Amino acid sequence: MSEDVTSPPTGGSAGATVCVVGAGVSGLTALKALAEAGVAAEGVERGSDIGGMWRYENDSGTSSAYRSLHIDSSRQSLAWPDFPLDETLPDYPSHAHMLAHFERYAERFGLRRAIRFGTTVVAVEPAGGGFDVTTEPTAGGPRTTTRHARVIVANGHLSEPRMPDFPGDFAGTVTHSHHYRTAEPFAGRRVLVVGIGNSAVDIAVDVAKSAAATFLSTRRSAWIMPKYIGGMPTDRFLGLLIRRFKLPVRRARSVAARIARLTYGAQERFGVPLPAHPVWREHATLSQDLLPYLGHGWIAMKPNVAELAGDEVAFVDGSRERVDAIVYATGYRTTFPFLDPAVFAVGEGAPPALYRRILSTAHPGLMFAGLVQPIGPTIPLVEVQARWIAAVLSGRLPLPDPEVMEHEVREHRETVARTYLDAARYTLEIDARAYAADLTGDLARAAAR
């Protein structure tokens, strides 16, 4: 076992008072905001370069990107306010497009020099009014422990696969969408994809082009929305409805779903059951391809799995299919191995005790960036989160009393329970517009002091 020694940082900002864990979108944005606020910070990144999940085959092991991945929010809605995406890019950029944009962002604001790459965070422990951050070289070597006044956890929450527990045993190949990269290993095989989120549908469509047969299994189904309505990216169409007719988000989503239904037909006609819940209670699945692929017979819909039986899979409707490979697109667990669960943990279905979804009410020096799941793009929210964090850490934005913060957490939990489905997938759910308004309101009041 490597020996623990205490030493100053070997990279990043000298004398940094803040440690930022991760150099994906959230980490980069936090480092930029802190630098602009005059707060000394250093980033720590397990991989050899920036990008997080958007770096295809990232050597950090945390990327879930597959070769055909394109972002599900339109280009116009997901850029940093002060660093827009190139207008020549397609409406829905690929992972390669997004990574190139992040690299330009890091270069423009000189962020790489504040990051220690190839460094794994082993432990973050409260100590002496701050935190001891223990790290070790990812390739192996002695551990070092550094004291920081504050820690910002920004390493994402989409890298620990959640696997279902179906009865029985399966004789074929099993993988999770986190490890899926290309369709080549599934060519000529009978493939079952479990799940009906964006990744599940993308993978089923990708696999169907060369597989002998492709099945898509869903437990509760989902609302299937096209990526375009009237030739306009769907999120831009929603924004237009909200602005022009002053509709609340719930109503706008319901209207868009009806328009999509008129345009593409009833999804149940293609074998996709109509969900029992309204569209605003879930993340709709965006796909321009699923219904046509079902209509052409390239993909067959199946209900939930009842049992695994060797080279067959039995479903709850009594049907059975011979299957060679299963891809579980069943989501992720939100885990932070470097944090003792007594310090911080995210329970299944219970939003964590984070004021403004950022600051730990039990350990106010512990903050999280990007630990949210919005309906819509994350980057604009991460940007306002980063400015909020920088304002707090620079002293421009005072925090309310602990009782006020705890009350805000309780209200948020009640809102989530009241609004979204009772499922682990919605533990981190937020209303993007309302949330951004809360943070910008805080910043505006701080600026007016």
Side-chain angles (χ1 to χ4, degrees), residues 201-236:
V201 170
D202 280 356
I203 290 169
V205 168
D206 202 27
V207 164
K209 297 168 186 174
S210 57
T214 304
F215 307 97
L216 184 65
S217 167
T218 174
R219 179 177 53 173
R220 62 161 61 94
S221 195
W223 290 89
I224 308 300
M225 293 286 289
K227 285 193 167 183
Y228 290 92
I229 296 178
M232 183 182 298
T234 298
D235 57 0
R236 293 183 64 200

Side-chain angles (χ1 to χ4, degrees), residues 116-400:
R116 281 193 285 158
F117 291 105
T119 304
T120 298
V121 175
V122 177
V124 173
E125 301 167 299
F131 295 87
D132 280 346
V133 178
T134 300
T135 62
E136 67 181 9
T138 302
R143 294 182 175 182
T144 60
T145 299
T146 307
R147 180 72 51 86
H148 292 274
R150 303 286 186 268
V151 172
I152 300 170
V153 178
N155 64 320
H157 54 93
L158 299 175
S159 60
E160 181 66 33
R162 178 187 288 111
M163 299 291 284
D165 185 21
F166 294 127
D169 296 298
F170 180 62
T173 303
V174 175
T175 190
H176 189 273
S177 57
H178 175 69
H179 303 290
Y180 178 88
R181 295 294 178 265
T182 70
E184 278 85 346
F186 303 95
R189 307 177 76 187
R190 297 174 64 84
V191 182
L192 170 66
V193 180
V194 178
I196 199 168
N198 291 321
S199 295
V201 170
D202 280 356
I203 290 169
V205 168
D206 202 27
V207 164
K209 297 168 186 174
S210 57
T214 304
F215 307 97
L216 184 65
S217 167
T218 174
R219 179 177 53 173
R220 62 161 61 94
S221 195
W223 290 89
I224 308 300
M225 293 286 289
K227 285 193 167 183
Y228 290 92
I229 296 178
M232 183 182 298
T234 298
D235 57 0
R236 293 183 64 200
F237 183 83
L238 277 169
L240 181 65
L241 285 178
I242 291 167
R243 291 190 303 273
R244 180 168 295 180
F245 299 104
K246 296 181 170 52
L247 295 179
V249 174
R250 287 187 186 185
R251 180 63 176 157
R253 294 190 72 206
S254 297
V255 170
R258 291 186 181 185
I259 292 173
R261 194 170 174 83
L262 287 171
T263 303
Y264 292 93
Q267 64 184 53
E268 56 269 32
R269 180 185 175 280
F270 296 87
V272 185
L274 197 65
H277 51 270
V279 67
W280 52 264
R281 293 206 72 195
E282 70 156 11
H283 272 284
T285 296
L286 262 65
S287 177
Q288 206 76 14
D289 300 315
L290 177 62
L291 299 185
Y293 270 62
L294 289 166
H296 286 83
W298 284 38
I299 299 173
M301 286 300 306
K302 303 298 290 185
N304 198 28
V305 173
E307 183 184 11
L308 306 175
D311 63 353
E312 288 189 334
V313 176
F315 300 91
V316 295
D317 64 352
S319 64
R320 302 173 74 91
E321 297 288 351
R322 184 175 63 79
V323 173
D324 301 313
I326 299 176
V327 180
Y328 288 117
T330 46
Y332 296 87
R333 298 186 185 279
T334 305
T335 60
F336 300 98
F338 49 83
L339 286 169
D340 188 315
V343 174
F344 180 82
V346 177
E348 293 283 305
L354 296 176
Y355 175 65
R356 293 295 197 230
R357 322 291 73 78
I358 295 172
L359 185 141
S360 168
T361 55
H363 300 279
L366 182 64
M367 296 181 167
F368 292 79
L371 191 59
V372 291
Q373 186 70 46
I375 294 174
T378 302
I379 291 177
L381 296 181
V382 166
E383 191 275 339
V384 71
Q385 277 190 332
R387 287 190 287 117
W388 190 95
I389 290 169
V392 169
L393 297 186
S394 65
R396 292 186 291 109
L397 175 59
L399 292 170

